[in-house]
């Protein structure tokens, strides 16, 4: 059994030596236990501007377990991860995806592999709790997961992109044609036998987070609009509600006029204009998100281009 650990990287020179050390140790332990026959670490450099690729090349010369792909341009975390998983789908029996920052506990890889050897195709790494998160991040994440569930999205709570996938699960995943990637939702929709491994998430080992609030918000919007059309349906419901309110307002206006109680009211007019105008702009924004995704999909541009690679078999 060959295992590939896929690690997307963007400006990770500060943490890469420790990541390589820990993951190499994990592969060694798995081989000693007989859980795997072969194992490698596949770094995917997502157009880093620091020494990330230089380090990957250096490690690959010193460590036979280290392999790498350098993308020609920064395409984002999800597409970089996709590049690694796509390669693993034809060269490995199973692949584990994990971020380079070592916040995900590498010790959780052992039970993941045990589940795979028992016939499980997808093993999700799930955080036990969010003690390392700020109050704001913890509550916004909770809101996002609840919103996704409410909109019909099938995602695992407190699971990001730390998971194991078998070859057949990987091949099913890479058969998805869309360019707008939300992998944690796509993997959950595969339907293969799955299990969960719970772990405590750590502080980032070194370097800075590559996910500021703006990127997190954009990622949340991608997740919602990639896996649910309910926002569009809610716009229709909102339109019907406004029509009902308009009918009631007309009836009220007519009754007031007949009774001689009609008075000019700037406040009610201004409030109505601002409220309905805001609702219309919100509706246009939501529709625009879906139209934008259609625009990206119909162009069918490649998700990424590989500039170079190291230690990879053809």
């Amino acid at each position: 059994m060959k295992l590939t650990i896929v690690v997307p990287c963007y400006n990770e020179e500060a943490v890469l030596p420790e990541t390589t050390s820990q993951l190499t140790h994990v592969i060694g332990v798995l081989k000693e236990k007989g859980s795997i026959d072969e194992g490698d670490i596949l770094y995917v450099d997502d157009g880093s501007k620091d020494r990330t690729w230089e380090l990957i090349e250096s490690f690959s010369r010193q460590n036979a377990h280290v392999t790498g792909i350098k993308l020609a341009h920064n395409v984002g975390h999800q597409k970089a991860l996709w590049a690694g998983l796509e390669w693993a789908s034809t060269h490995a029996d199973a692949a584990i995806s994990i971020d380079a920052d070592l916040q995900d506990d590498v010790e959780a890889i052992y039970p993941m592999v045990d589940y795979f050897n028992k016939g499980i195709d997808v093993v999700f790494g799930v955080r036990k709790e969010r003690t390392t998160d700020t109050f704001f991040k913890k509550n916004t994440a909770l809101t996002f997961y609840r919103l996704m569930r409410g909109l019909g999205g099938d995602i695992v709570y407190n699971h990001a992109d730390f998971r194991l996938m078998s070859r057949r699960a990987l091949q099913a995943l890479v058969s998805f044609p869309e360019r707008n990637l939300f992998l944690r939702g796509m993997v959950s929709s595969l339907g293969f036998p799955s299990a969960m491994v719970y772990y405590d998430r750590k502080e980032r080992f070194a370097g800075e987070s590559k996910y500021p609030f703006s990127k997190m918000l954009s990622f949340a919007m991608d997740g919602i609009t990639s896996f649910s059309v309910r926002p569009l349906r809610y716009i229709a419901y909102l339109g019907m509600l406004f029509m009902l309110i308009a009918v009631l307002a007309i009836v009220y206006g007519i009754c007031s006029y007949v009774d001689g109680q009609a008075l000019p009211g700037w406040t009610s007019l201004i409030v109505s204009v601002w409220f309905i105008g805001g609702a219309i702009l919100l509706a246009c924004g939501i529709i625009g998100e879906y139209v934008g995704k259609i625009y990206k999909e119909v162009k069918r541009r490649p998700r990424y281009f590989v500039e170079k690679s190291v230690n990879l078999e053809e």
Side-chain angles (χ1 to χ4, degrees):
M1 180 269 201
K2 180 178 180 180
L3 174 70
T4 294
I5 303 176
V6 179
V7 188
C9 306
Y10 179 68
N11 295 343
E12 297 288 3
E13 66 174 359
V15 73
L16 218 55
E18 182 63 23
T19 303
T20 302
S21 174
Q22 291 195 21
L23 292 180
T24 299
H25 175 72
V26 167
I27 290 173
V29 172
L30 288 171
K31 291 176 72 173
E32 287 179 7
K33 291 169 57 179
S35 299
I36 63 173
D37 300 313
E38 299 179 60
D40 56 39
I41 306 163
L42 174 57
Y43 287 118
V44 183
D45 181 10
D46 186 22
S48 297
K49 295 177 174 60
D50 62 1
R51 297 179 56 252
T52 293
W53 181 248
E54 293 178 34
L55 289 175
I56 293 171
E57 287 185 314
S58 174
F59 295 148
S60 70
R61 290 190 291 267
Q62 305 165 16
N63 186 338
H65 295 300
V66 176
T67 63
I69 295 174
K70 179 175 174 56
L71 302 185
H73 186 67
N74 177 245
V75 294
H77 177 272
Q78 294 291 278
K79 290 180 180 178
L81 179 53
W82 181 280
L85 295 177
E86 192 166 34
W87 187 91
S89 69
T90 56
H91 295 82
D93 298 303
I96 291 177
S97 56
I98 186 171
D99 288 339
D101 56 17
L102 295 177
Q103 287 188 280
D104 296 320
D105 188 1
V106 298
E107 296 290 323
I109 292 175
Y110 301 131
M112 284 183 175
V113 173
D114 289 340
Y115 272 118
F116 170 77
N117 288 329
K118 293 176 183 177
I120 302 298
D121 288 281
V122 181
V123 185
F124 298 101
V126 182
R127 297 174 61 172
K128 291 180 181 178
E129 51 189 347
R130 290 182 168 268
T131 54
T132 59
D133 286 352
T134 63
F135 176 83
F136 176 77
K137 186 174 182 180
K138 181 177 182 179
N139 284 276
T140 51
L142 180 61
T143 301
F144 168 70
Y145 283 110
R146 286 178 174 173
L147 183 60
M148 282 295 295
R149 288 290 183 88
L151 293 174
D154 182 19
I155 63 172
V156 177
Y157 179 68
N158 270 349
H159 164 69
D161 288 303
F162 183 29
R163 70 180 74 88
L164 177 147
M165 298 180 68
S166 68
R167 174 177 285 198
R168 71 166 180 169
L170 287 168
Q171 292 178 343
L173 177 67
V174 299
S175 71
F176 282 35
E178 59 253 46
R179 266 53 182 167
N180 296 284
L181 301 179
F182 184 66
L183 291 178
R184 65 189 69 178
M186 295 167 70
V187 173
S188 297
S189 69
L190 294 177
F192 291 116
S194 63
M196 298 183 189
V197 171
Y198 294 89
Y199 67 97
D200 292 314
R201 191 170 171 86
K202 304 175 183 178
E203 295 284 354
R204 183 180 178 86
F205 182 82
E208 298 178 353
S209 172
K210 308 305 184 295
Y211 260 85
F213 177 71
S214 59
K215 282 193 175 182
M216 290 172 59
L217 185 60
S218 176
F219 186 65
M221 287 297 296
D222 281 341
I224 292 170
T225 53
S226 294
F227 276 86
S228 178
V229 296
R230 288 189 185 180
L232 295 175
R233 194 171 301 156
Y234 292 156
I235 290 173
Y237 295 155
L238 192 62
M240 288 187 284
L241 176 62
F242 284 157
M243 289 178 63
L244 177 61
I245 293 173
V247 170
L248 294 175
I250 290 170
V251 172
Y252 173 76
I254 292 173
C255 292
S256 298
Y257 178 79
V258 171
D259 292 341
Q261 297 177 353
L263 295 173
W266 285 104
T267 303
S268 60
L269 178 62
I270 293 298
V271 169
S272 299
V273 169
W274 276 94
F275 181 71
I276 295 175
I280 291 173
L281 288 174
L282 175 62
C284 288
I286 294 174
I287 294 171
E289 282 287 327
Y290 285 94
V291 172
K293 287 188 177 297
I294 295 171
Y295 172 68
K296 290 180 180 179
E297 293 292 341
V298 297
K299 289 190 294 185
R300 310 301 296 165
R301 289 181 177 177
R303 298 182 181 92
Y304 60 88
F305 292 104
V306 175
E307 180 181 342
K308 60 179 76 171
S309 63
V310 290
N311 272 4
L312 288 181
E313 61 189 63
E314 297 296 331

